[in-house]
Amino acid sequence: MTFDINKIRSDFPILQRKIYDKPLIYLDNAATTQKPQIVIDRITDYYTYENANIHRGVHYLSQIDTTAFENAREYIARFINAPKKEEVIFTKGTTESINLVAASFGRKILNKDDEVLVTAMEHHSNLVPWQMLCYEKEARLKVIPYSDKGEINLSTYQMMLGDKTKIVALPHISNTLGSINPVKEMIRMAHEKNIPVLIDGAQALSHLKVDIADLDCDFYCCSGHKAYGPMGVGILYGKTEHLNFMDPYQTGGEMVEHVTLYETSFNEIPFKFEAGTPNVEAVLGMEAALHYVEETGLDEITAHEKNLLVYGTKKLQQIKGVQIYGKAAEKAGILSFLIDDIHSFDAGTIIDKFGIAIRTGHHCAQPVMNKFGIPGTVRASFAMYNTREEIDKLVEAILQVKKMFG
Amino acid sequence: MSMEEIQEQIITEFSYFDDWLDRYNHLIEMGKSVPLINEKYKTKNYLIGGCQSRVWLHAAMKDGVIIFSADSDAVITKGIVNLLIRVFSGQTPDTIIDADISFIDEIGLKEHLSPTRSNGLMSMIKQMKLYALAFKTKSANQ
Ligand SMILES: Cc1ncc(COP(=O)(O)O)c(C=O)c1O
């Protein structure tokens, strides 16, 4: 299979758009990715031909819908190589997945003076839920440091894993620094001490191969919208033993087995964690998105984005005064930088005028900004449809910024 | 000068520029002018929330009018703050409370008014009006 960038670009209708009369250059993929026509069609088809509530009716539409929904679960489980499909729970995104684990698992296992380990490069989504939990339980949040390059020191990490450590929460890929963390090794180290590990995979899905069975993580969290799928859907993967041990996160319809006015017994996993009517359109859209990724070739996508990273890094380094944040040896297509001492907001405002969508600010990772003593960065993040020519345009925009603020 | 006259003046000033580049260059020039706020007010207490860049705003009542001073760590934001100060500073609380700020639209900076825009132009205007309201209430109670 060949990786045909022109075909890919034509599959994403938004890329035909003009912004301020210039072709859209979308480099804010770490915030959310664009959607291929196939995903948009899937959602339209769903409402045009299939809409019904699932798991509840004997009527025809409800039946085919339930089948489609459960087939999507099966396909998505296979996509991330989850050992069992019922270990895949649909949530509204990474944030909800993490909150679910903190509330239903963390709250059950954590006691006073216990420890939760996170890294200093966390997105707020994988930091604040643990902070709150530790506060509630009078437990301690311990923070795994990283080098100026953005690399976690494994021996420091190993030393931090102690008798009191009850859970470790790590980002697969840092959304600011781009570091691909050695999560497999980190999970292994934690498991040696019987400590469960949650991986925040928001930035990994559809950018590199996520292989749950190989990672052997206890929990894996990700969002559909960052993987070419719709918003409002995400995955929580959890090992069966944990999911069975955990209490429900929300209660209501769908997740119960037997209800009297005074007592309720809960349904099995995954339904125990899917209270209420799920976001069916988004689940089906996410399935379509991952199909598209599989057909395009995930390895090819990874290689293409790596190529863009290498090219972009080289180009940016050639501009005097550009400082790149995040120089890990293992890095995904995320480039955070500053231009001279120009505020990221100023740079972003001008770059936007070139029709280029980039992100500015702290990227929901204020501790990372604090470490480097900066209020924010400019961030370009790549997806399968980006090109070197787009990076060249970004370089032009940066030169304009330098001219205006220099 | 009345507030309407100042707004007219700004609109005329910006009408000489017909593309975004020149408009922003002008804004940047305005932003580069000396910080207008006393350093001692550049603290958390004077920081306006909701901005991607930091904005400090101070207000004082003098002879029946409000004198604003402000600063920001981003130059474009500073340019916008300076515009607002030109319009609002030296006006009475009532004028500020009732102020119509459609001039922003007319000088081609409307995009900064959208509530999702993280530079917080909206927050700045709101904060200035809040100051005006506070001073008005205070003087009514005296
Ligand atoms: C590393 C990381 N974790 C978590 C999240 C939160 O994802 P969502 O907003 O889809 O819940 C993000 C999104 O920016 C992220 O980059």
Side-chain angles (χ1 to χ4, degrees):
Chain A
M1 194 164 28
T2 53
F3 186 84
D4 181 353
I5 188 75
N6 292 324
K7 155 141 196 335
I8 290 172
R9 289 186 67 80
S10 68
D11 288 337
F12 288 80
I14 207 171
L15 298 180
Q16 320 306 322
R17 245 205 93 151
K18 295 227 152 91
I19 305 286
Y20 309 121
D21 283 333
K22 299 181 181 79
L24 164 67
I25 296 180
Y26 189 78
L27 297 176
D28 195 14
N29 295 288
T32 197
T33 53
Q34 298 302 343
K35 322 303 172 199
Q37 188 65 47
I38 272 190
V39 169
I40 301 165
D41 288 347
R42 184 68 193 94
I43 295 169
T44 310
D45 282 353
Y46 170 70
Y47 283 120
T48 314
Y49 305 110
E50 297 163 51
N51 178 49
N53 209 330
I54 57 163
H55 295 141
R56 317 195 166 178
V58 293
H59 64 78
Y60 181 81
L61 284 182
S62 177
Q63 298 277 340
I64 58 159
D65 227 18
T66 305
T67 308
F69 188 83
E70 290 308 320
N71 284 348
R73 192 191 310 274
E74 197 171 330
Y75 176 74
I76 292 168
R78 215 166 345 110
F79 189 89
I80 58 174
N81 198 24
K84 299 180 199 135
K85 75 171 183 346
E86 58 287 4
E87 293 180 319
V88 172
I89 293 157
F90 291 119
T91 63
K92 70 182 165 73
T94 309
T95 303
E96 190 178 55
S97 300
I98 296 169
N99 275 279
L100 193 163
V101 176
S104 295
F105 184 73
R107 189 171 285 147
K108 206 160 171 178
I109 58 162
L110 212 62
N111 292 307
K112 190 168 184 293
D113 297 328
D114 281 344
E115 291 171 0
V116 174
L117 249 60
V118 295
T119 71
M121 61 171 88
E122 262 7 285
H123 185 281
H124 295 164
S125 287
N126 198 28
L127 178 63
V128 184
W130 304 114
Q131 279 176 354
M132 302 283 286
L133 181 67
C134 287
Y135 180 78
E136 177 190 319
K137 292 288 186 173
E138 295 180 61
R140 265 192 297 272
L141 189 71
K142 295 193 57 176
V143 180
I144 308 157
Y146 60 88
S147 70
D148 285 348
K149 282 177 142 179
E151 292 175 334
I152 291 166
N153 182 320
L154 287 182
S155 49
T156 311
Y157 164 68
Q158 194 160 31
M159 277 187 322
M160 293 177 76
L161 294 165
D163 297 340
K164 291 273 173 199
T165 314
K166 288 293 152 69
I167 188 161
V168 177
L170 306 166
H172 199 158
I173 296 176
S174 153
N175 70 315
T176 39
L177 303 170
S179 323
I180 304 175
N181 293 312
V183 286
K184 187 177 172 185
E185 180 66 5
M186 294 176 84
I187 293 163
R188 196 190 56 74
M189 286 173 163
H191 283 179
E192 275 176 4
K193 301 189 174 168
N194 282 323
I195 303 164
V197 182
L198 173 143
I199 303 295
D200 170 357
Q203 296 296 339
L205 187 68
S206 289
H207 294 287
L208 52 78
K209 175 79 191 142
V210 173
D211 187 332
I212 301 281
D214 180 56
L215 288 176
D216 194 30
C217 54
D218 296 271
F219 299 101
Y220 197 95
C221 308
C222 46
S223 301
H225 73 96
K226 290 181 195 281
Y228 310 104
M231 293 194 173
V233 68
I235 301 172
L236 168 63
Y237 162 83
K239 281 188 174 165
T240 303
E241 57 184 284
H242 298 316
L243 296 178
N244 283 335
F245 160 79
M246 285 154 64
D247 294 326
Y249 179 53
Q250 290 178 337
T251 53
E254 191 78 55
M255 50 79 64
V256 290
E257 185 180 58
H258 190 70
V259 183
T260 69
L261 279 178
Y262 301 101
E263 247 179 17
T264 295
S265 63
F266 297 120
N267 204 338
E268 298 176 338
I269 61 165
F271 309 113
K272 178 170 129 186
F273 294 102
E274 292 177 354
T277 301
N279 194 345
V280 181
E281 64 161 85
V283 167
L284 300 179
M286 182 174 182
E287 180 193 24
L290 297 183
H291 256 301
Y292 181 79
V293 167
E294 188 180 346
E295 267 173 32
T296 308
L298 186 49
D299 290 343
E300 284 81 359
I301 294 172
T302 308
H304 175 72
E305 289 174 11
K306 179 79 191 176
N307 247 320
L308 293 173
L309 175 77
V310 171
Y311 182 77
T313 305
K314 191 181 88 193
K315 282 286 175 180
L316 255 56
Q317 276 169 341
Q318 286 167 356
I319 306 172
K320 200 169 155 281
V322 168
Q323 166 75 27
I324 293 173
Y325 295 88
K327 295 177 176 169
E330 290 296 325
K331 212 181 145 180
I334 293 176
L335 252 177
S336 259
F337 60 95
L338 280 176
I339 311 156
D340 299 315
D341 52 3
I342 300 165
H343 197 284
S344 63
F345 171 77
D346 284 331
T349 305
I350 300 307
I351 293 171
D352 167 61
K353 292 288 178 190
F354 284 75
I356 302 176
I358 40 101
R359 178 82 184 268
T360 63
H362 56 60
H363 320 297
C364 296
Q366 286 179 20
V368 175
M369 301 304 133
N370 295 343
K371 175 180 164 89
F372 291 102
I374 49 176
T377 69
V378 182
R379 181 187 71 187
S381 48
F382 307 122
M384 61 163 98
Y385 38 69
N386 291 124
T387 63
R388 291 188 173 204
E389 291 71 32
E390 291 180 317
I391 294 174
D392 293 340
K393 287 275 183 231
L394 173 66
V395 168
E396 262 176 50
I398 293 171
L399 294 175
Q400 180 66 45
V401 169
K402 276 178 73 77
K403 208 156 95 193
M404 289 174 85
F405 296 96
Chain B
M1 239 192 298
S2 77
M3 195 159 75
E4 284 73 29
E5 284 165 344
I6 298 169
Q7 294 197 12
E8 279 308 317
Q9 195 185 50
I10 292 171
I11 291 167
T12 315
E13 224 172 273
F14 273 83
S15 70
Y16 297 125
F17 311 117
D18 42 33
D19 74 353
W20 69 269
L21 203 69
D22 293 334
R23 272 201 300 278
Y24 273 91
N25 273 327
H26 184 59
L27 210 54
I28 289 164
E29 276 318 307
M30 294 180 63
K32 278 180 183 164
S33 59
V34 275
L36 307 165
I37 199 170
N38 189 320
E39 280 298 317
K40 73 175 179 207
Y41 297 128
K42 282 174 76 166
T43 63
K44 224 172 159 178
N45 286 348
Y46 294 91
L47 208 56
I48 299 181
C51 311
Q52 201 177 93
S53 43
R54 287 184 294 174
V55 179
W56 300 269
L57 179 70
H58 176 259
M61 187 84 161
K62 205 175 155 214
D63 307 328
V65 297
I66 300 178
I67 307 296
F68 288 106
S69 58
D71 198 5
S72 170
D73 54 356
V75 183
I76 291 175
T77 314
K78 218 154 112 176
I80 294 173
V81 178
N82 283 8
L83 270 180
L84 290 180
I85 288 181
R86 268 172 71 185
V87 173
F88 285 136
S89 205
Q91 307 291 346
T92 63
D94 277 327
T95 320
I96 295 169
I97 292 164
D98 299 331
D100 166 19
I101 39 98
S102 52
F103 79 100
I104 299 275
D105 196 349
E106 292 190 44
I107 61 178
L109 296 175
K110 188 180 167 194
E111 65 202 49
H112 291 279
L113 274 180
S114 102
T116 54
R117 191 83 193 187
S118 33
N119 75 340
L121 174 57
M122 275 312 227
S123 323
M124 290 183 232
I125 294 170
K126 195 169 141 205
Q127 191 60 38
M128 287 172 142
K129 290 199 171 205
L130 278 176
Y131 269 125
L133 201 62
F135 280 119
K136 183 183 162 162
T137 319
K138 206 163 126 194
S139 56
N141 291 342
Q142 269 166 5

